[in-house]
Amino acid sequence: MGRLEGKVAIVTGSNRGIGKGIAIAFAKEGCKVVVSNYKKDSEGEKAVNEIEKLGSNAIFVKADVSKGNDMKDLVKKAVEKFGKLDIMVNNAGILVSGSVKELTEKDWDRQMSVNLKGAFFGTKYAVEQMVKQGKGGRIINISSIAGLVGFPGISAYCASKGGITELTREVALDCAKDGITVNAINPGVIVTDMTKGMLEDKATLKNFLENTPVGRVGKPEDIGNAAVFLALDESSFITGHNLVVDGGWTAR
Ligand code: NAD
């Protein structure tokens, strides 16, 4: 029996990358998964099919995390289909490059509306549902090591992830008595579409590898495994934590 048998999870931005890695890791443990993205395309359909091939259940729901009504509807559709919501993973994110000297107000707002406002909406509507159910729950926010230490040239991204770090701690306190744990995962460099361009550049890849003591970049499964750990019933005493999964980058 899977360690998440009988549970229902929503993972935002789970058509590909880290989100898909989490969705697949959950499904391998018997969890039913709502795959979501801001647009419906073959990637989302493929993720649902892969989960079903693993013997679990999945549906795709279109939702833009920066829109409150979409997020409210996402939770509603998950409950309509699977009867409840146990785990919410706020994973969807974008990286708007630029130092504070270069970024425009528009860049700043776009970065914040997806990464930080998206995590807020996902948390808000999931918590509302979990409190109504009265059996606790799990909120897992995908932050970044860029939410803990500075990285030059990505000011708004770092600020958005720092915001998620603090949102995680605060909501953990608000929801502790409801049995809802709220944690973040702070990945280091993971191979996905977000980092593809950087990893194709030999000098950047060399720099990433030199900064990662375990000597490799991460895979979406590395984050999926960490998310399973935080989602387990046995993890009920872990809340308000930022779990660094970075191959040792920030340990130096
Ligand atoms: P990715 O670009 O492959 O995936 C991001 C996902 O978010 C995609 O599915 C995308 O369609 C979705 N998305 C974007 N805007 C959205 C919106 N408005 N509404 C709904 N979905 C939206 O990148 P990834 O690396 O898999 O990133 C996943 C998360 O991990 C992000 O929050 C990212 O900041 C974080 N992260 C990534 C790395 C890395 O090295 N790849 C490191 C640290 C943190």
Side-chain angles (χ1 to χ4, degrees), residues 15-16 18 37 64-65 91 143 157 161 188 190 192 194-195:
N15 52 304
R16 68 178 196 210
I18 290 175
N37 187 28
D64 182 335
V65 295
N91 163 77
S143 181
Y157 183 79
K161 294 300 186 179
I190 311 295
T192 67
M194 189 179 276
T195 51

Side-chain angles (χ1 to χ4, degrees), residues 12-19 36-38 43 63-66 90-94 114-115 142-145 157 161 186-195:
T12 64
S14 48
N15 52 304
R16 68 178 196 210
I18 290 175
S36 184
N37 187 28
Y38 70 92
E43 279 185 341
D64 182 335
V65 295
S66 68
N90 294 306
N91 163 77
I94 56 172
V114 178
N115 289 18
I142 305 305
S143 181
S144 168
I145 54 170
Y157 183 79
K161 294 300 186 179
N186 301 71
V189 179
I190 311 295
V191 185
T192 67
D193 284 18
M194 189 179 276
T195 51

